[in-house]
Amino acid sequence: MQLVGERESASITDDHPLHGCLTYVIWQYDFRNQPPRPDMLRRQVEEVLASGADAVLRGWFKWGSDLDYQAMRSVVNALHAHGVRFIGGLTCSACVRGENGLPEETFLDFTTCDALGQRHEIFPGGQAYHVSIHNPRVSEYMVQCALKQVAAGVDGLHLDEIWGIGTSVSPHPNEGYDDYALAAFREYLKCKYPQLTRTEWQSHFDIDEIDVFDYRLFLTNHATRGEAWAIDPDRYVDENPLAREWKHPGMRAVDICETWFSPDPMRSFYDYGVLQYGRRLAEGIRAGARQMGRPIALVHNGPWPGMELQNWNLPTRPPGMDTAELRCHRERWQRYRAMTDQWSYPGAPAVAFIDWPGDLPAYTAWTTEKKITFLQTAPMECYAMGCSFAFHLRNFIPGSDARENGTYETMIRLCRWVGDHRDLYHPRGAAFDVAVSDPDICAVAYHQADRVIIHLINHWVAAERPATQHDVVLASSVTSGDYAFALLSPEGDLPAPRLTRQGLLIPALPAYAILVGIQE
């Protein structure tokens, strides 16, 4: 075992099929264990093309048995004919009993257990269980499943929830204690503390013999107030000398998705294990794709070293559309952009979306007016901050079909508009400050060669819809008369801005507009 930091091992560049993509939609074909339906395949192509998107994210997705990718390849070919990239995907954290004809013995070998040795369904009745990420056969199996999609022509693969085992985002956070993990934990401790003597192992960690140490048995044999630590290991972090070695305490979804990577790659066995699992998957998929002569881009939901595209979930729980909630997105986009630059490469695609099954149901529960308000503001602010947004046209979650929930026309219009004005979003240029007369308006401004670009996002909401703001005044060094300004908006034609003694006056501002100033 080598304890290597992922920060130093990743060498991702912009030489991949998704580089330069700006607009994305989600249209997930997910008819599990059913033959592909020609009518739905045609609809998928028609709606993705109607959006004008550069790429479709999770155009299909493996949960359980593989789909008939070759039968569905017509979708990939049709989109490729129009220059649209296709991103497939698979879960990396789960195995469904009997999937792809796996024998029961193999299924039991692939899946993990809790500290009492018991397995748990991820969702009741779904026959899906979390996998043993330290089992090399699991990595090999996942790579084989991924390469079937590569052979069918995908440009990218979404590797979902590499980190999703044994954390608070899991329905069963007390998992990951299978025999493969126990053996890896022994080696981890020996590599991390090679200097410890037998006496020191005993005094530091209450380990009698490290070479045969069984952490699951250790948890069973230790108790506090009569309760064995194995019942809920996370409850006994202070009492257990190995708890922080196994998993960093207080691991929460926000840590995993935003800030959990430590500069010290050996913060905990959990960190080490998921990073190594992700590396084995990425290296295996890339090696197989090279043998096929197929370039491939890898995608992960949350920051992950060595991925060409970073996919970011936008939380929507609890539901609410007040101006304060919308305003806070700006800092979120800024953080997503910076972390993508750090974990992939500067300028790598950073694509926000509403993940499922966690946050999407909260969004689908909103009224149509709330959904449209969200779409007219949050994604536009996302683009203004140098990220992209994946408009959710369809997947299997009830209420997610944009045609049925009343958002289809809005999504198509906004996605096409951003694509038609892509030169206003990339390259961004150097940022500068703009003062706005109304605190409910967010202004994001950049110098771009011989012009300036000022994005204006109106967060004032009335009756669940953006309320047009009138006579908005901007003050900045560029609003003093050296530039000729035009105002562009996906909402249609707007009155021209004009200079006043107070600054540049915008007669009417809907949900979103862009000021383009050309130096005279």
Side-chain angles (χ1 to χ4, degrees), residues 155-392:
D155 303 288
L157 278 169
H158 184 109
L159 307 182
D160 195 44
E161 293 192 358
I162 293 172
W163 43 258
I165 301 164
T167 69
S168 64
V169 298
S170 166
H172 305 285
N174 176 20
E175 283 187 308
Y177 293 87
D178 55 87
D179 290 345
Y180 292 97
L182 301 184
F185 188 44
R186 281 197 302 269
E187 296 305 310
Y188 168 87
L189 291 173
K190 288 162 66 175
C191 283
K192 188 171 181 180
Y193 302 107
Q195 77 285 0
L196 292 188
T197 65
R198 183 171 182 174
T199 301
E200 289 170 329
W201 281 113
Q202 216 292 323
S203 62
H204 286 30
F205 298 116
D206 200 15
I207 295 175
D208 292 326
E209 180 52 66
I210 185 61
D211 290 331
V212 294
F213 176 64
D214 183 328
Y215 187 47
R216 204 165 58 220
L217 184 60
F218 174 92
L219 292 170
T220 301
N221 290 340
H222 287 75
T224 297
R225 293 180 295 278
E227 179 177 275
W229 294 350
I231 294 175
D232 186 359
D234 290 347
R235 190 185 303 174
Y236 301 108
V237 171
D238 293 331
E239 294 91 336
N240 180 0
L242 286 166
R244 288 177 171 82
E245 298 294 337
W246 178 266
K247 181 169 64 177
H248 190 265
M251 184 72 73
R252 303 184 308 277
V254 66
D255 296 318
I256 299 166
C257 295
E258 297 178 5
T259 61
W260 81 288
F261 290 112
S262 168
D264 177 8
M266 297 312 302
R267 183 177 70 165
S268 76
F269 175 65
Y270 173 84
D271 296 311
Y272 171 78
V274 293
L275 289 169
Q276 291 301 309
Y277 180 52
R279 177 191 285 184
R280 290 194 300 273
L281 294 177
E283 290 178 350
I285 293 168
R286 289 198 179 100
R290 282 194 300 270
Q291 290 179 354
M292 298 182 198
R294 298 255 333 137
I296 194 73
L298 300 182
V299 181
H300 187 260
N301 49 328
W304 202 269
M307 300 286 165
E308 284 83 359
L309 183 151
Q310 305 286 352
N311 208 187
W312 298 89
N313 176 39
L314 175 62
T316 58
R317 295 173 288 177
M321 294 295 291
D322 59 26
T323 58
E325 182 194 18
L326 290 175
R327 181 176 296 281
C328 77
H329 290 317
R330 174 173 178 162
E331 292 185 1
R332 181 182 295 276
W333 310 134
Q334 191 172 34
R335 185 165 65 253
Y336 289 177
R337 179 67 268 165
M339 293 193 72
T340 298
D341 292 343
Q342 175 186 2
W343 292 107
S344 290
Y345 61 88
V351 184
F353 74 125
I354 302 175
D355 205 352
W356 65 92
D359 286 284
L360 191 60
Y363 165 83
T364 60
W366 293 343
T367 64
T368 298
E369 288 75 17
K370 269 187 183 179
K371 293 187 187 77
I372 291 174
T373 297
F374 172 87
L375 293 169
Q376 289 177 309
T377 52
M380 300 299 103
E381 194 169 69
C382 173
Y383 276 106
M385 296 301 296
C387 300
S388 294
F389 188 89
F391 291 97
H392 212 117

Side-chain angles (χ1 to χ4, degrees), residues 464-510:
E464 297 186 340
R465 297 301 304 270
T468 297
Q469 300 274 47
H470 295 281
D471 296 333
V472 177
V473 177
L474 307 182
S476 171
S477 59
V478 302
T479 59
S480 59
D482 296 333
Y483 290 82
F485 283 95
L487 191 61
L488 308 175
S489 174
E491 308 308 316
D493 294 335
L494 298 173
R498 64 180 186 271
L499 283 173
T500 68
R501 285 182 296 178
Q502 290 75 30
L504 188 67
L505 185 139
I506 312 296
L509 178 66

